[in-house]
Amino acid sequence: MEDMLTVERISQTYQAENGELTALEEISFSVKEGEFVSIVGPSGCGKSTLLSIVAGMIRPTYGTVFLHGEPVTGISPSIGYMLQRDNLLEWRNIAQNAILGLEIRKQATPENIAYANSLLKAYGLWEFRDKYPSQLSGGMRQRAALIRTLAVKPEVFLLDEAFSALDYQTRLAVTDDVHRILKKEKKTTLMVTHDISESISMSDRVIVLSRRPAHIAKILKIDFADPDLTPLEKRKQHQFQDYFNTIWKELDVHV
Ligand code: ADP
Ligand code: MG
C-alpha cells in the first residue's frame, strides 16, 4: 500500500520561561493507507505536539509533514482530529452534533447530511438522534464524536489520548468500538497514547518515543496470528504480554 502520511525529520523547540525546551528531535516515519499506527511515550515527551504538527495546527521548528506527497502547511480538511474531550455541544441533539463539522465547513448538503445519518444508523445511534449528549453514556458520546469526525470524510484520523477520560471498563468497550468502525471505514489512523496496552491492542504498528527531547526509540510491528481479533481479544493472547514487555523496556520507566 502507498504511504498516505509521511513525517520527515520533525523537530520542535519551544521558547519556555527558562530558555528553550526541545520537545521533538528528528522524528521521521510514514503511515500507509488504511494502516493504524500508534505512538506511545511518557507524559510530557511531545506526543500532543507531534499530533498538532501533523494536523497543521503548529508549524514545526524543522521538518515537513506530507499528506499524499504534498506538504501540510495549515489545517487540512483531509485530517480529522479527536481529542480526550468529546467536545459535543450540549445544546444540540445527537443528529445536530453529527453534522456540526459539515456545517462549520459549509458542506451541510443533503448528500452529506444523508451520509452522516447513514453513519448514525450503521453504528447504533439513530434511535438516539433526538437525545442530547447529557442523556448518553460516555461510550456513546465518544461514538457520536467519532461519527461527527467521520461525516466530513477525512483521509487521516488523528486520536490524542481520546479514551483517557473514560473509566476503565468503558474504555475497553470504546476502543473495540472505535477500532471496528475505523477499520470498517478503512481509515488511516495515527493515535497517540501513554497507554501501552491500548496501543498494542489497536495498532498495526507502534512507535515508541523516548523521554524529552523525544526521538523514536523503536518501531514495533504488531502481528497476531489472526488479524481479525478485536482489541479486547488481542489483550488475551500470550503474545500481547511479549509486546508489552518490549515496549515497557524501551520506555525505561523509572518510579
Ligand atoms: P505529551 O502530549 O506527550 O504529554 P506535549 O506535546 O503536550 O506532551 O508537551 C511536550 C513538552 O512541551 C512539555 O514539556 C510541555 O510543557 C511543552 N509544551 C507544550 N506546548 C508548549 C508551548 N506552547 N509552549 C511551551 N512549551 C510547551
Ligand atoms: Mg498530550
Side-chain angles (χ1 to χ4, degrees):
M1 285 263 194
E2 150 190 29
D3 285 344
M4 170 79 95
L5 182 74
T6 303
V7 170
E8 199 171 279
R9 304 188 66 190
I10 291 288
S11 298
Q12 178 66 22
T13 301
Y14 288 117
Q15 302 303 326
E17 282 161 26
N18 44 354
E20 293 191 333
L21 180 151
T22 299
L24 303 167
E25 208 168 59
E26 293 262 346
I27 305 283
S28 300
F29 62 89
S30 299
V31 183
K32 291 189 193 316
E33 202 177 331
E35 197 180 19
F36 195 123
V37 171
S38 61
I39 296 179
V40 286
S43 284
C45 79
K47 300 183 295 298
S48 294
T49 299
L50 180 56
L51 226 50
S52 302
I53 290 170
V54 172
M57 296 180 343
I58 301 179
R59 287 297 282 272
T61 314
Y62 187 84
T64 315
V65 175
F66 297 92
L67 185 64
H68 280 312
E70 294 293 320
V72 172
T73 53
I75 294 173
S76 158
S78 311
I79 293 179
Y81 209 161
M82 261 181 83
L83 304 162
Q84 186 173 334
R85 288 190 45 231
D86 57 44
N87 288 312
L88 295 176
L89 299 180
E90 300 294 340
W91 62 90
R92 287 185 147 224
N93 68 27
I94 295 306
Q96 292 163 338
N97 264 292
I99 59 167
L100 182 67
L102 290 172
E103 285 183 9
I104 290 171
R105 292 173 186 198
K106 305 210 182 330
Q107 294 172 348
T109 59
E111 294 100 306
N112 288 341
I113 293 172
Y115 177 63
N117 287 338
S118 74
L119 291 169
L120 290 172
K121 284 174 193 157
Y123 300 119
L125 284 179
W126 184 243
E127 302 95 280
F128 297 90
R129 64 189 181 282
D130 297 329
K131 300 267 190 259
Y132 288 84
S134 63
Q135 298 173 288
L136 263 59
S137 67
M140 286 170 88
R141 290 181 64 122
Q142 206 66 356
R143 200 192 301 165
L146 179 70
I147 288 172
R148 183 187 54 195
T149 311
L150 281 171
V152 300
K153 300 190 176 155
E155 293 187 83
V156 175
F157 236 81
L158 305 178
L159 302 168
D160 189 350
E161 310 266 6
F163 317 113
S164 52
L166 303 168
D167 66 76
Y168 186 67
Q169 298 296 329
T170 307
R171 199 160 91 214
L172 290 180
V174 170
T175 52
D176 253 24
D177 201 38
V178 168
H179 183 268
R180 176 176 60 91
I181 296 171
L182 290 176
K183 280 292 178 189
K184 184 137 187 288
E185 301 293 327
K186 299 190 169 49
K187 289 296 166 192
T188 306
T189 307
L190 182 62
M191 169 174 97
V192 306
T193 178
H194 64 272
D195 186 324
I196 300 174
S197 299
E198 190 171 287
S199 73
I200 300 166
S201 69
M202 294 181 82
S203 314
D204 301 310
R205 269 187 307 146
V206 175
I207 297 173
V208 186
L209 294 185
S210 70
R211 270 175 295 169
R212 216 181 56 232
H215 56 268
I216 294 180
K218 196 177 188 72
I219 299 184
L220 199 66
K221 185 132 181 43
I222 306 294
D223 263 323
F224 287 94
D226 177 359
D228 295 330
L229 293 176
T230 67
L232 208 53
E233 288 164 346
K234 285 181 197 164
R235 286 172 184 259
K236 296 175 194 149
Q237 307 291 308
H238 70 88
Q239 256 171 304
F240 190 87
Q241 196 58 40
D242 299 338
Y243 286 132
F244 189 97
N245 292 340
T246 306
I247 296 173
W248 177 259
K249 235 187 278 164
E250 282 303 330
L251 283 175
D252 190 21
V253 184
H254 298 289
V255 286

